[in-house]
């Protein structure tokens, strides 16, 4: 069975560590890269073509909202899930309008996040 290939983009080393541990703890997921800002996320998405990108909104150089359409352009099959602590109703509409498939709030249950990543990833690459 093929693994769901995941790229993380978050400027917080602590958040990247927590996401990395959660992903590496699941046999169906494979962490293929980590970015520290939106520009690096676009570059890595283009090079690695992940199944799922976990993307923070508030990052230096280029924020997640700016990165979403650029990732869509260079990695059109990648499902973008926004992971942010700043998810107002307006922000949710903006990220979906820009091309993200969904969003989760930081600080939530990592088990639910991993289940969502797998659900979205399986829709993209099949079982």
């Amino acid at each position: 069975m093929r693994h769901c290939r995941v790229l993380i983009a978050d400027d917080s080393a602590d958040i990247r560590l927590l996401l990395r541990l959660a992903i590496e703890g699941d046999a169906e997921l494979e962490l293929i890269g980590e970015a520290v800002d939106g520009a690096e996320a676009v570059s890595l998405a283009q090079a690695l073509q992940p199944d799922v990108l976990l993307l923070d909104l508030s990052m230096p150089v280029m924020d997640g909202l700016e990165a979403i359409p650029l990732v869509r352009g260079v990695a059109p099959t990648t499902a973008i899930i926004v992971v942010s602590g700043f998810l107002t109703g307006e922000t949710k509409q903006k990220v979906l309008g820009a091309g993200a498939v969904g969003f989760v709030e930081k600080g939530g249950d990592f088990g639910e996040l991993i289940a969502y990543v797998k659900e979205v990833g399986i829709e993209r690459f099949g079982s």
Side-chain angles (χ1 to χ4, degrees):
M1 183 177 86
R2 184 180 170 312
H3 292 76
C4 176
R5 301 168 65 249
V6 182
L7 173 63
I8 297 169
D10 198 301
D11 62 319
S12 167
D14 291 341
I15 296 295
R16 287 195 315 275
L17 173 63
L18 291 171
L19 290 171
R20 180 183 327 121
L21 292 173
I23 291 165
E24 290 175 346
D26 192 292
E28 294 179 79
L29 302 177
E30 176 187 4
L31 180 64
I32 60 169
E34 296 181 29
V36 298
D37 60 54
E40 188 177 19
V42 173
S43 177
L44 286 175
Q46 181 175 21
L48 301 174
Q49 298 294 309
D51 297 310
V52 175
L53 167 60
L54 294 176
L55 180 69
D56 184 24
L57 285 186
S58 179
M59 293 185 290
V61 183
M62 176 189 297
D63 69 28
L65 195 55
E66 292 173 286
I68 293 170
L70 299 175
V71 170
R72 299 266 19 99
V74 300
T77 63
T78 296
I80 302 168
I81 299 173
V82 169
V83 182
S84 180
F86 310 104
L87 289 173
T88 65
E90 182 181 338
T91 303
K92 290 176 181 179
Q93 290 304 316
K94 284 182 180 177
V95 300
L96 294 175
V101 299
F103 39 79
V104 293
E105 295 207 26
K106 280 187 182 176
D109 183 308
F110 275 100
E112 290 177 14
L113 171 63
I114 294 303
Y116 185 49
V117 168
K118 289 165 52 173
E119 176 186 323
V120 169
I122 288 169
E123 285 179 11
R124 298 288 171 166
F125 68 80
S127 56

